[in-house]
Amino acid sequence: MNDDVRNIVLGVAATAISGGFGWFARTYLWRRALRRKQAFFGLPAGSDCLFVANRQMGGTDSSLHRNDAFALLEISALIKDCGANVQIVTHDQARQGFGERAEFCVGGPSSNARTTAHLGSMLPGVRIIVSSEPVPDRGAITVGGESYRWVKGLVEHVLLARLTTGQGSRPVFLLCGQTAISNQAAARYLAKHHRQLADDYGDESFCILLKVVNSDAYGPDVTELIADVTGPARTPAAAAG
């Protein structure tokens, strides 16, 4: 074998080895990111989870608002990425505890009875004004001594929470918005920022308050983090006072 052939062989071998290491590194990083994502959402491959759909706010039937349907699509993509399976049930048909499988519960207490149960048992420091009449404070969220009002089309708020009952239990993700578009905004925020949320909170429970800005112009795309309200949200209002 002359020098030219030997150099060509060595070059090909070096390229193959380098490519192999690159593929291995990319695969390792992808699998690690996937495991972290599955752990955060409580969705190991092949597992089952529950999506609890609300009814359209102010409606009398079980119809789903268009933006809540979009929230379902945002969350379904996350579930698919984790290799898990989803069961969709309406809020009045969800008859089970929590912790055995992951759950995504969408909508405020005026449109989702399951949300009402979760707020009472896991976020007792949150108060939401529920009224069928268009009163000024309708839908206002009160937590930590602050009240956050809804101004239609201009300012809407939504609570995004990850709630667990102990080590080993699967989480409940609560997307409790003042409007359907704020529910969708929370789903989009969760899809976009789940890595940062996992870095910040790990497998612990959290509750954050988001504000959707000028939805008439920007839809669910302009969302601001207002505050981490985990502490006051999990403290009964009487105890907090």
Side-chain angles (χ1 to χ4, degrees), residues 132-175:
S132 59
E133 302 297 326
V135 297
D137 286 343
R138 181 188 181 193
I141 299 172
T142 299
V143 59
E146 297 288 338
S147 186
Y148 303 90
R149 292 183 176 182
W150 161 37
V151 182
K152 186 177 181 180
L154 294 177
V155 177
E156 292 141 286
H157 298 91
V158 55
L159 291 170
L160 172 60
R162 179 187 190 274
L163 306 169
T164 62
T165 57
Q167 187 175 8
S169 67
R170 300 285 173 83
V172 171
F173 285 89
L174 185 63
L175 291 72

Side-chain angles (χ1 to χ4, degrees), residues 25-47 77-84 194-195 198:
R26 289 191 298 271
T27 300
Y28 171 78
L29 292 174
W30 175 80
R31 287 179 176 173
R32 186 176 69 171
L34 177 60
R35 286 193 296 269
R36 291 190 64 200
K37 186 175 185 178
Q38 291 171 329
F40 177 73
F41 287 111
L43 295 172
S47 64
L78 294 173
I79 296 169
K80 182 180 179 181
D81 287 346
C82 292
H194 66 83
R195 294 182 185 86

Side-chain angles (χ1 to χ4, degrees), residues 121-143:
S121 60
M122 294 187 282
L123 296 175
V126 175
R127 294 290 180 269
I128 299 177
I129 296 178
V130 177
S131 174
S132 59
E133 302 297 326
V135 297
D137 286 343
R138 181 188 181 193
I141 299 172
T142 299
V143 59

Side-chain angles (χ1 to χ4, degrees), residues 49-73:
C49 70
L50 194 67
F51 183 98
V52 182
N54 60 335
R55 64 175 174 82
Q56 185 166 331
M57 189 171 68
T60 57
D61 57 17
S62 58
S63 61
L64 187 65
H65 192 282
R66 179 182 64 178
N67 291 103
D68 288 322
F70 289 154
L72 169 58
L73 293 176

